[in-house]
Amino acid sequence: MFVSHLQCTICGKSYPPDALKYVCPLHGDEGILDVVYDYAEINRHLSPAQISASRDTSIWRYWDLLPLTDRANIPPLQVGWTPLYHARHLGAQLGLDKLYLKDDGRNPTASYKDRASAVVVAKAGELGEKIITTASSGNAGAALAGCAASAHLPSVIFVPETAPTAKVAQLLIFGARVFLVRGTYDQASDLCLAAAKEFGWYCRNTAYNPYTTEGKKTGALEICEQLASANSWSPVSAWSAPDRIFVSVGDGNIIGGVWKGLRDLHALGWIDKMPKLMGVQAEGSAACYNAWKAGADEITPIHASTIADSIDVGLPRDGRRAVRAVRATNGEFLTVSDDEILEAMPLLARGEAIFAEPAASAAYAGLLKAVRAQKIDRAETVVVLLTGNGLKDIRSAVQAAGEAQTIDPTLDAVKRAISAA
Ligand SMILES: *Cc1c(COP(=O)(O)O)cnc(C)c1O
Ligand SMILES: [Zn+2]
């Protein structure tokens, strides 16, 4: 393992690897830790070409860039290495020559959260933990329940009672102990933390557990590796960063994780520039956007409400780092309405055949808005991270796509229907 230390994102204090389980004790639950590596040592052992030659089609191809010591604890479920599509059709519509869509709905439990949960479950194995828990709006829980089932570790999941049925079904079918909390995701988070402390469960709560970010950074590693090898048959010796990455933001842990992956690659000298990170929030759940707009470092909690349940967050758990990610990369925050999110869903599905859940299509809606505002140059390489699969929330899909027509089982009925249309 090449971790050199853990560092508090508030006071900058360093701690030895594994000295702390969760947060900097000087700052309570807000003292989120960054995992810092010995980059020179990594470069002495490893090259990007070696990784590009790997036949491991999962996040574990980046083993040496992850905070783990024993491969025996890896859950067998195959997470990551999702496709990065060159979206020629939608790109042409938008006047973008190099538009790419990363379909993370292709993960085993159908969202980006599998990346974090796989790493945290592996860590739980190293630490000898017996029970693992998380709060979730749905996807993080499904991912943890799946990865925990894969490692035969019992899991306890807290979700708001309003979570989409498909996500709750995922939790139950994987055998998790499920609590539907009468309250918001924010309340479920606080309850999960309290329960973890009370019962001694290992807590995966987003950002509170420092290894969620390390899992989520793997999406950025993949983007830079996949962009570099898109036009090459042989392993590439340097990777390529895109110009911009659009990421939907709820807690802010995905965008913070993407930023961390890029910072790691930049520190290693494997990419030569930092992409602008474009954070996209729902209008009704825009706490990070508000802080960014106001030039503030502190996030003011709001009463959140959006159709995109995965980004329906009043108090972002990793908001400070999300705002930093956008500022430090000269990116921007954007907001999109629920209608714009619903409009983006069929566009993605019909344009490039990717069925994305509302929180994922929000990122694409953000791109549309940025293009309309002429913020993006035709020649830029733009990546949109599509974080979850549309089957997770078919109510929204039906709302976006409309109902199908019912007919009698006769050819005549088909003829009448066709001529009426
Ligand atoms: C969790 C999630 C997000 C947002 O990630 P945060 O880390 O909460 O900002 C976006 N899309 C989907 C599908 C998600 O599950
Ligand atoms: Zn601190």
Side-chain angles (χ1 to χ4, degrees):
M1 183 176 82
F2 294 106
V3 174
S4 85
H5 57 277
L6 304 172
Q7 187 165 35
C8 174
T9 55
I10 294 188
C11 67
K13 188 169 159 54
S14 292
Y15 299 91
D18 291 325
L20 298 174
K21 246 188 200 176
Y22 302 117
V23 286
C24 173
L26 304 177
H27 298 97
D29 297 350
E30 284 184 65
I32 293 167
L33 299 172
D34 257 342
V35 180
V36 183
Y37 293 77
D38 183 339
Y39 298 101
E41 195 61 21
I42 293 175
N43 265 324
R44 266 193 288 281
H45 283 83
L46 188 71
S47 72
Q50 271 172 291
I51 295 179
S52 291
S54 166
R55 276 179 290 182
D56 183 342
T57 52
S58 77
I59 58 170
W60 306 115
R61 66 195 284 108
Y62 304 111
W63 176 259
D64 291 308
L65 308 181
L66 291 170
L68 298 163
T69 53
D70 187 355
R71 282 180 178 266
N73 296 302
I74 292 177
L77 209 54
Q78 191 172 318
V79 173
W81 202 244
T82 56
L84 181 71
Y85 294 111
H86 186 180
R88 290 188 173 83
H89 183 82
L90 290 175
Q93 279 180 10
L94 300 179
L96 297 175
D97 294 331
K98 288 177 270 178
L99 173 61
Y100 291 85
L101 304 176
K102 186 148 177 75
D103 183 11
D104 251 62
R106 288 276 294 267
N107 275 304
T109 78
S111 88
Y112 198 91
K113 301 293 199 295
D114 282 333
R115 299 176 181 277
S117 291
V119 169
V120 173
V121 164
K123 196 69 185 181
E126 279 183 10
L127 298 173
E129 301 286 350
K130 296 287 176 267
I131 296 178
I132 192 161
T133 187
T134 197
S136 169
S137 59
N139 286 340
L144 187 65
C147 291
S150 174
H152 293 278
L153 188 67
S155 64
V156 183
I157 313 291
F158 297 80
V159 291
E161 64 173 342
T162 52
T165 315
K167 297 182 184 183
V168 177
Q170 284 186 291
L171 303 175
L172 294 167
I173 210 79
F174 287 128
R177 180 75 200 262
V178 182
F179 292 115
L180 299 179
V181 180
R182 283 190 205 98
T184 61
Y185 164 62
D186 301 294
Q187 290 172 304
S189 285
D190 292 338
L191 180 58
C192 175
L193 259 185
K197 281 178 188 154
E198 176 74 17
F199 302 112
W201 300 334
Y202 187 52
C203 183
R204 177 224 177 270
N205 268 14
T206 294
Y208 177 74
N209 187 311
Y211 303 110
T212 59
T213 302
E214 290 304 296
K216 284 174 177 174
K217 81 180 181 186
T218 58
L221 307 181
E222 288 178 19
I223 287 169
C224 295
E225 184 183 351
Q226 288 170 323
L227 277 178
S229 52
N231 302 309
S232 164
W233 284 104
S234 48
V236 284
S237 56
W239 293 350
S240 346
D243 295 300
R244 279 178 214 267
I245 307 177
F246 283 78
V247 186
S248 59
V249 176
D251 273 322
N253 193 241
I254 293 183
I255 199 167
V258 166
W259 184 41
K260 175 58 164 43
L262 295 167
R263 283 187 289 148
D264 280 356
L265 291 181
H266 202 253
L268 287 164
W270 296 5
I271 56 173
D272 58 12
K273 66 172 182 213
M274 287 294 276
K276 296 185 170 76
L277 292 179
M278 306 292 283
V280 183
Q281 292 212 283
E283 271 172 12
S285 176
C288 292
Y289 168 86
N290 293 342
W292 171 78
K293 187 94 180 161
D297 203 31
E298 294 288 326
I299 311 282
T300 309
I302 53 164
H303 178 77
S305 167
T306 167
I307 192 172
D309 64 288
S310 303
I311 52 173
D312 190 353
V313 179
L315 174 57
R317 302 285 150 163
D318 208 1
R320 199 188 283 262
R321 203 157 39 173
V323 172
R324 278 187 200 166
V326 167
R327 279 204 193 111
T329 60
N330 291 315
E332 284 183 44
F333 265 103
L334 300 152
T335 59
V336 292
S337 68
D338 282 2
D339 283 344
E340 289 172 315
I341 291 171
L342 287 174
E343 281 161 24
M345 283 176 66
L347 292 177
L348 277 170
R350 291 162 200 188
E352 307 292 343
I354 299 176
F355 184 12
E357 70 161 276
S361 62
Y364 189 70
L367 169 69
L368 296 180
K369 199 160 190 175
V371 167
R372 258 185 268 120
Q374 300 185 317
K375 289 179 196 282
I376 303 178
D377 195 79
R378 164 160 221 128
E380 285 186 39
T381 300
V382 176
V383 174
V384 181
L385 206 53
L386 298 173
T387 40
N389 190 285
L391 287 173
K392 281 173 169 282
D393 179 7
I394 49 167
R395 247 183 50 189
S396 296
V398 169
Q399 200 178 330
E403 301 279 351
Q405 183 176 7
T406 306
I407 59 164
D408 290 327
T410 64
L411 186 56
D412 207 43
V414 179
K415 283 182 184 162
R416 261 182 285 133
I418 286 176
S419 58

